[in-house]
Short mmCIF file of all heavy atoms in Angstrom, two decimals:
data_model
loop_
_atom_site.label_atom_id
_atom_site.label_comp_id
_atom_site.label_asym_id
_atom_site.label_seq_id
_atom_site.Cartn_x
_atom_site.Cartn_y
_atom_site.Cartn_z
N ASN G 478 -2.57 20.38 11.09
CA ASN G 478 -1.50 19.68 10.39
C ASN G 478 -0.51 19.07 11.38
O ASN G 478 -0.05 17.94 11.19
CB ASN G 478 -0.77 20.65 9.44
CG ASN G 478 0.17 19.94 8.51
OD1 ASN G 478 0.06 18.74 8.30
ND2 ASN G 478 1.10 20.68 7.95
N GLU G 479 -0.20 19.81 12.45
CA GLU G 479 0.68 19.27 13.48
C GLU G 479 0.03 18.06 14.15
O GLU G 479 0.70 17.06 14.42
CB GLU G 479 1.00 20.33 14.51
CG GLU G 479 1.89 21.44 13.99
CD GLU G 479 2.05 22.58 14.98
OE1 GLU G 479 1.51 22.48 16.11
OE2 GLU G 479 2.70 23.57 14.63
N ASN G 480 -1.28 18.16 14.42
CA ASN G 480 -1.99 17.02 15.02
C ASN G 480 -1.98 15.82 14.08
O ASN G 480 -1.83 14.68 14.53
CB ASN G 480 -3.41 17.41 15.39
CG ASN G 480 -3.48 18.38 16.54
OD1 ASN G 480 -2.53 18.51 17.30
ND2 ASN G 480 -4.58 19.08 16.65
N LEU G 481 -2.17 16.08 12.78
CA LEU G 481 -2.15 14.98 11.82
C LEU G 481 -0.76 14.35 11.74
O LEU G 481 -0.65 13.14 11.58
CB LEU G 481 -2.60 15.48 10.44
CG LEU G 481 -4.08 15.74 10.28
CD1 LEU G 481 -4.37 16.32 8.90
CD2 LEU G 481 -4.89 14.48 10.51
N ASP G 482 0.27 15.18 11.84
CA ASP G 482 1.62 14.62 11.84
C ASP G 482 1.83 13.71 13.04
O ASP G 482 2.43 12.64 12.92
CB ASP G 482 2.67 15.74 11.85
CG ASP G 482 2.76 16.46 10.52
OD1 ASP G 482 2.28 15.91 9.52
OD2 ASP G 482 3.31 17.59 10.50
N GLU G 483 1.32 14.15 14.20
CA GLU G 483 1.44 13.32 15.39
C GLU G 483 0.61 12.04 15.25
O GLU G 483 1.05 10.97 15.66
CB GLU G 483 0.98 14.10 16.62
CG GLU G 483 1.90 15.24 16.99
CD GLU G 483 1.34 16.12 18.09
OE1 GLU G 483 0.29 15.74 18.67
OE2 GLU G 483 1.94 17.15 18.36
N GLN G 484 -0.58 12.17 14.66
CA GLN G 484 -1.43 10.99 14.49
C GLN G 484 -0.86 10.05 13.44
O GLN G 484 -1.08 8.84 13.50
CB GLN G 484 -2.85 11.40 14.10
CG GLN G 484 -3.62 12.06 15.20
CD GLN G 484 -5.00 12.51 14.74
OE1 GLN G 484 -5.33 12.41 13.56
NE2 GLN G 484 -5.79 13.01 15.67
N ALA G 485 -0.15 10.61 12.45
CA ALA G 485 0.43 9.76 11.41
C ALA G 485 1.51 8.85 11.99
O ALA G 485 1.75 7.76 11.48
CB ALA G 485 1.00 10.61 10.28
N LYS G 486 2.13 9.30 13.04
CA LYS G 486 3.16 8.49 13.69
C LYS G 486 2.54 7.33 14.47
O LYS G 486 3.17 6.31 14.65
CB LYS G 486 4.01 9.35 14.61
CG LYS G 486 4.81 10.39 13.86
CD LYS G 486 5.55 11.31 14.80
CE LYS G 486 6.24 12.42 14.01
NZ LYS G 486 6.85 13.41 14.88
N GLU G 487 1.30 7.53 14.91
CA GLU G 487 0.61 6.47 15.65
C GLU G 487 0.00 5.49 14.64
O GLU G 487 -0.43 5.88 13.56
CB GLU G 487 -0.50 7.06 16.51
CG GLU G 487 -0.02 7.99 17.58
CD GLU G 487 -1.16 8.63 18.35
OE1 GLU G 487 -2.33 8.26 18.09
OE2 GLU G 487 -0.88 9.49 19.18
N PRO G 488 -0.07 4.20 14.98
CA PRO G 488 -0.69 3.25 14.06
C PRO G 488 -2.21 3.46 13.99
O PRO G 488 -2.84 3.89 14.95
CB PRO G 488 -0.35 1.89 14.68
CG PRO G 488 -0.10 2.17 16.12
CD PRO G 488 0.45 3.56 16.18
N ILE G 489 -2.76 3.17 12.83
CA ILE G 489 -4.21 3.30 12.63
C ILE G 489 -4.89 2.12 13.29
O ILE G 489 -4.49 0.97 13.13
CB ILE G 489 -4.54 3.35 11.13
CG1 ILE G 489 -3.84 4.55 10.48
CG2 ILE G 489 -6.04 3.43 10.91
CD1 ILE G 489 -3.97 4.58 8.98
N LYS G 490 -5.93 2.40 14.02
CA LYS G 490 -6.65 1.36 14.75
C LYS G 490 -8.06 1.21 14.19
O LYS G 490 -8.63 2.13 13.63
CB LYS G 490 -6.72 1.72 16.23
CG LYS G 490 -5.35 1.92 16.86
CD LYS G 490 -5.35 1.53 18.30
CE LYS G 490 -4.01 1.75 18.94
NZ LYS G 490 -3.05 0.74 18.65
N VAL G 491 -8.62 0.02 14.37
CA VAL G 491 -9.99 -0.25 13.97
C VAL G 491 -10.93 0.40 14.98
O VAL G 491 -10.78 0.20 16.19
CB VAL G 491 -10.25 -1.77 13.88
CG1 VAL G 491 -11.71 -2.04 13.55
CG2 VAL G 491 -9.35 -2.40 12.84
N GLU G 492 -11.86 1.22 14.49
CA GLU G 492 -12.77 1.93 15.38
C GLU G 492 -14.17 1.30 15.42
O GLU G 492 -14.73 1.13 16.49
CB GLU G 492 -12.88 3.39 14.95
CG GLU G 492 -11.57 4.13 15.07
CD GLU G 492 -11.61 5.51 14.45
OE1 GLU G 492 -12.67 5.90 13.92
OE2 GLU G 492 -10.58 6.19 14.49
N THR G 493 -14.72 0.99 14.27
CA THR G 493 -16.07 0.42 14.22
C THR G 493 -16.14 -0.65 13.15
O THR G 493 -15.25 -0.77 12.31
CB THR G 493 -17.13 1.50 13.90
OG1 THR G 493 -16.81 2.10 12.64
CG2 THR G 493 -17.22 2.56 14.97
N ILE G 494 -17.24 -1.39 13.20
CA ILE G 494 -17.50 -2.45 12.22
C ILE G 494 -18.87 -2.19 11.61
O ILE G 494 -19.84 -2.00 12.34
CB ILE G 494 -17.48 -3.84 12.89
CG1 ILE G 494 -16.12 -4.10 13.53
CG2 ILE G 494 -17.83 -4.92 11.88
CD1 ILE G 494 -16.10 -5.34 14.40
N GLU G 495 -18.94 -2.18 10.28
CA GLU G 495 -20.22 -2.06 9.58
C GLU G 495 -20.42 -3.31 8.74
O GLU G 495 -19.54 -3.69 7.96
CB GLU G 495 -20.22 -0.84 8.66
CG GLU G 495 -20.30 0.47 9.37
CD GLU G 495 -20.37 1.64 8.41
OE1 GLU G 495 -20.61 1.42 7.20
OE2 GLU G 495 -20.17 2.77 8.87
N ILE G 496 -21.58 -3.93 8.92
CA ILE G 496 -21.88 -5.15 8.17
C ILE G 496 -23.09 -4.89 7.29
O ILE G 496 -24.11 -4.36 7.76
CB ILE G 496 -22.14 -6.33 9.12
CG1 ILE G 496 -20.86 -6.62 9.91
CG2 ILE G 496 -22.60 -7.56 8.35
CD1 ILE G 496 -20.98 -7.71 10.92
N THR G 497 -22.97 -5.26 6.02
CA THR G 497 -24.06 -5.10 5.07
C THR G 497 -24.39 -6.47 4.50
O THR G 497 -23.51 -7.18 4.01
CB THR G 497 -23.64 -4.17 3.91
OG1 THR G 497 -23.17 -2.94 4.46
CG2 THR G 497 -24.81 -3.90 2.98
N ILE G 498 -25.66 -6.82 4.57
CA ILE G 498 -26.11 -8.08 3.97
C ILE G 498 -26.66 -7.76 2.59
O ILE G 498 -27.61 -6.96 2.45
CB ILE G 498 -27.17 -8.76 4.85
CG1 ILE G 498 -26.56 -9.08 6.23
CG2 ILE G 498 -27.69 -10.02 4.18
CD1 ILE G 498 -27.54 -9.65 7.22
N ILE G 499 -26.06 -8.33 1.56
CA ILE G 499 -26.40 -7.98 0.18
C ILE G 499 -27.82 -8.41 -0.17
O ILE G 499 -28.57 -7.66 -0.78
CB ILE G 499 -25.39 -8.63 -0.79
CG1 ILE G 499 -24.01 -8.03 -0.55
CG2 ILE G 499 -25.81 -8.43 -2.23
CD1 ILE G 499 -22.91 -8.71 -1.31
N ASN G 500 -28.20 -9.61 0.24
CA ASN G 500 -29.52 -10.14 -0.16
C ASN G 500 -30.51 -10.09 1.02
O ASN G 500 -31.08 -11.09 1.40
CB ASN G 500 -29.37 -11.56 -0.70
CG ASN G 500 -28.71 -12.49 0.29
OD1 ASN G 500 -28.10 -12.06 1.25
ND2 ASN G 500 -28.85 -13.79 0.04
N GLU G 501 -30.72 -8.90 1.55
CA GLU G 501 -31.64 -8.75 2.68
C GLU G 501 -33.08 -9.12 2.31
O GLU G 501 -33.83 -9.60 3.15
CB GLU G 501 -31.61 -7.30 3.19
CG GLU G 501 -30.37 -6.92 3.92
CD GLU G 501 -30.43 -5.49 4.45
OE1 GLU G 501 -31.38 -4.76 4.12
OE2 GLU G 501 -29.51 -5.11 5.19
N GLU G 502 -33.45 -8.87 1.08
CA GLU G 502 -34.83 -9.14 0.66
C GLU G 502 -35.15 -10.65 0.65
O GLU G 502 -36.31 -11.04 0.71
CB GLU G 502 -35.14 -8.51 -0.69
CG GLU G 502 -34.31 -9.03 -1.85
CD GLU G 502 -32.96 -8.34 -1.98
OE1 GLU G 502 -32.71 -7.33 -1.30
OE2 GLU G 502 -32.15 -8.83 -2.78
N ASP G 503 -34.14 -11.51 0.57
CA ASP G 503 -34.36 -12.95 0.57
C ASP G 503 -34.55 -13.51 1.98
O ASP G 503 -34.98 -14.65 2.13
CB ASP G 503 -33.17 -13.67 -0.09
CG ASP G 503 -33.06 -13.32 -1.56
OD1 ASP G 503 -34.05 -12.82 -2.13
OD2 ASP G 503 -31.97 -13.54 -2.14
N LEU G 504 -34.22 -12.71 2.99
CA LEU G 504 -34.34 -13.19 4.37
C LEU G 504 -35.77 -12.97 4.86
O LEU G 504 -36.47 -12.06 4.43
CB LEU G 504 -33.34 -12.46 5.26
CG LEU G 504 -31.87 -12.69 4.87
CD1 LEU G 504 -30.97 -11.88 5.76
CD2 LEU G 504 -31.50 -14.15 4.93
N PRO G 505 -36.23 -13.82 5.81
CA PRO G 505 -37.63 -13.81 6.19
C PRO G 505 -38.11 -12.55 6.93
O PRO G 505 -39.26 -12.17 6.79
CB PRO G 505 -37.79 -15.03 7.09
CG PRO G 505 -36.45 -15.63 7.26
CD PRO G 505 -35.49 -14.92 6.41
N ASP G 506 -37.26 -11.90 7.72
CA ASP G 506 -37.77 -10.84 8.58
C ASP G 506 -36.69 -9.79 8.80
O ASP G 506 -35.50 -10.09 8.84
CB ASP G 506 -38.20 -11.45 9.93
CG ASP G 506 -38.98 -10.50 10.79
OD1 ASP G 506 -39.32 -9.41 10.31
OD2 ASP G 506 -39.24 -10.85 11.96
N LYS G 507 -37.10 -8.53 8.97
CA LYS G 507 -36.16 -7.44 9.25
C LYS G 507 -35.49 -7.60 10.62
O LYS G 507 -34.34 -7.23 10.79
CB LYS G 507 -36.87 -6.08 9.20
CG LYS G 507 -37.46 -5.74 7.86
CD LYS G 507 -36.38 -5.28 6.93
CE LYS G 507 -37.00 -4.84 5.62
NZ LYS G 507 -36.04 -4.69 4.56
N LEU G 508 -36.22 -8.14 11.57
CA LEU G 508 -35.63 -8.35 12.90
C LEU G 508 -34.53 -9.40 12.85
O LEU G 508 -33.54 -9.29 13.56
CB LEU G 508 -36.72 -8.76 13.89
CG LEU G 508 -37.79 -7.71 14.19
CD1 LEU G 508 -38.86 -8.29 15.09
CD2 LEU G 508 -37.16 -6.49 14.82
N ILE G 509 -34.71 -10.38 12.01
CA ILE G 509 -33.68 -11.40 11.84
C ILE G 509 -32.42 -10.79 11.25
O ILE G 509 -31.31 -11.11 11.67
CB ILE G 509 -34.21 -12.57 10.97
CG1 ILE G 509 -35.28 -13.33 11.74
CG2 ILE G 509 -33.09 -13.49 10.53
CD1 ILE G 509 -35.94 -14.44 10.96
N ILE G 510 -32.60 -9.86 10.32
CA ILE G 510 -31.45 -9.19 9.71
C ILE G 510 -30.66 -8.44 10.77
O ILE G 510 -29.43 -8.54 10.84
CB ILE G 510 -31.93 -8.23 8.60
CG1 ILE G 510 -32.56 -9.03 7.46
CG2 ILE G 510 -30.79 -7.36 8.09
CD1 ILE G 510 -33.28 -8.18 6.43
N HIS G 511 -31.36 -7.72 11.60
CA HIS G 511 -30.70 -6.97 12.67
C HIS G 511 -29.97 -7.91 13.62
O HIS G 511 -28.82 -7.67 14.01
CB HIS G 511 -31.72 -6.12 13.42
CG HIS G 511 -31.12 -5.30 14.50
ND1 HIS G 511 -31.02 -5.76 15.79
CD2 HIS G 511 -30.57 -4.06 14.49
CE1 HIS G 511 -30.45 -4.84 16.52
NE2 HIS G 511 -30.17 -3.79 15.77
N ASP G 512 -30.62 -9.01 14.00
CA ASP G 512 -30.00 -9.98 14.92
C ASP G 512 -28.78 -10.63 14.29
O ASP G 512 -27.77 -10.86 14.97
CB ASP G 512 -31.02 -11.04 15.33
CG ASP G 512 -32.11 -10.47 16.24
OD1 ASP G 512 -31.89 -9.39 16.82
OD2 ASP G 512 -33.17 -11.13 16.36
N LEU G 513 -28.85 -10.93 12.99
CA LEU G 513 -27.70 -11.54 12.31
C LEU G 513 -26.51 -10.59 12.28
O LEU G 513 -25.37 -10.99 12.51
CB LEU G 513 -28.09 -11.94 10.88
CG LEU G 513 -28.98 -13.18 10.76
CD1 LEU G 513 -29.45 -13.35 9.33
CD2 LEU G 513 -28.23 -14.41 11.23
N LYS G 514 -26.79 -9.33 12.01
CA LYS G 514 -25.70 -8.34 12.01
C LYS G 514 -25.06 -8.24 13.39
O LYS G 514 -23.84 -8.17 13.52
CB LYS G 514 -26.22 -6.97 11.57
CG LYS G 514 -26.52 -6.88 10.10
CD LYS G 514 -27.02 -5.49 9.73
CE LYS G 514 -27.37 -5.38 8.26
NZ LYS G 514 -27.87 -4.04 7.92
N GLU G 515 -25.89 -8.26 14.42
CA GLU G 515 -25.36 -8.18 15.78
C GLU G 515 -24.54 -9.43 16.14
O GLU G 515 -23.50 -9.32 16.78
CB GLU G 515 -26.50 -7.99 16.79
CG GLU G 515 -27.15 -6.62 16.73
CD GLU G 515 -26.17 -5.49 16.98
OE1 GLU G 515 -25.34 -5.61 17.92
OE2 GLU G 515 -26.21 -4.51 16.23
N LEU G 516 -25.01 -10.60 15.72
CA LEU G 516 -24.26 -11.83 15.99
C LEU G 516 -22.90 -11.82 15.28
O LEU G 516 -21.89 -12.24 15.86
CB LEU G 516 -25.07 -13.06 15.57
CG LEU G 516 -26.24 -13.44 16.48
CD1 LEU G 516 -27.05 -14.57 15.87
CD2 LEU G 516 -25.73 -13.85 17.85
N MET G 517 -22.89 -11.33 14.04
CA MET G 517 -21.61 -11.26 13.32
C MET G 517 -20.68 -10.25 13.97
O MET G 517 -19.48 -10.49 14.08
CB MET G 517 -21.86 -10.89 11.86
CG MET G 517 -22.26 -12.06 11.00
SD MET G 517 -22.27 -11.66 9.27
CE MET G 517 -23.83 -10.82 9.13
N LYS G 518 -21.22 -9.13 14.40
CA LYS G 518 -20.38 -8.12 15.08
C LYS G 518 -19.82 -8.69 16.37
O LYS G 518 -18.66 -8.46 16.71
CB LYS G 518 -21.19 -6.85 15.37
CG LYS G 518 -21.40 -5.97 14.16
CD LYS G 518 -22.15 -4.71 14.54
CE LYS G 518 -22.45 -3.88 13.32
NZ LYS G 518 -23.21 -2.66 13.67
N ASP G 519 -20.65 -9.45 17.12
CA ASP G 519 -20.16 -10.06 18.35
C ASP G 519 -19.05 -11.08 18.05
O ASP G 519 -18.12 -11.24 18.86
CB ASP G 519 -21.31 -10.75 19.10
CG ASP G 519 -22.27 -9.75 19.72
OD1 ASP G 519 -21.89 -8.57 19.88
OD2 ASP G 519 -23.41 -10.15 20.03
N GLU G 520 -19.15 -11.75 16.92
CA GLU G 520 -18.16 -12.77 16.57
C GLU G 520 -16.79 -12.14 16.25
O GLU G 520 -15.76 -12.72 16.57
CB GLU G 520 -18.66 -13.57 15.36
CG GLU G 520 -17.85 -14.77 15.01
CD GLU G 520 -17.92 -15.86 16.08
OE1 GLU G 520 -18.94 -15.98 16.78
OE2 GLU G 520 -16.92 -16.59 16.20
N ILE G 521 -16.80 -10.95 15.63
CA ILE G 521 -15.53 -10.33 15.24
C ILE G 521 -15.25 -9.04 16.03
O ILE G 521 -14.40 -8.25 15.64
CB ILE G 521 -15.50 -10.05 13.73
CG1 ILE G 521 -16.64 -9.13 13.32
CG2 ILE G 521 -15.53 -11.33 12.95
CD1 ILE G 521 -16.57 -8.67 11.89
N ASN G 522 -15.91 -8.87 17.12
CA ASN G 522 -15.78 -7.66 17.95
C ASN G 522 -14.37 -7.51 18.52
O ASN G 522 -13.98 -6.41 18.89
CB ASN G 522 -16.82 -7.69 19.07
CG ASN G 522 -17.06 -6.32 19.65
OD1 ASN G 522 -16.81 -5.31 19.00
ND2 ASN G 522 -17.54 -6.29 20.87
#
């Protein structure tokens, strides 16, 4: 609780990014899906 009080005083920071493609089945290949997610993550990293 003391640690949480100290952490509450600190601003919340972005730790990770998760990207979900809703229509994955419409895309041609699973490798393309992975590459697209990586490109988007690199864009907003």
Side-chain angles (χ1 to χ4, degrees):
N478 191 19
E479 291 172 3
N480 291 340
L481 285 176
D482 287 343
E483 292 172 8
Q484 289 177 355
K486 295 175 185 174
E487 297 176 5
I489 300 173
K490 302 211 181 281
V491 176
E492 296 171 0
T493 59
I494 300 170
E495 287 183 14
I496 296 177
T497 306
I498 299 175
I499 295 172
N500 57 344
E501 287 182 353
E502 62 275 351
D503 295 342
L504 299 177
D506 191 8
K507 298 282 185 194
L508 295 175
I509 291 176
I510 295 170
H511 181 269
D512 291 342
L513 286 172
K514 287 180 182 180
E515 290 301 316
L516 286 174
M517 279 190 280
K518 283 182 184 179
D519 289 341
E520 189 67 29
I521 59 172
N522 200 23

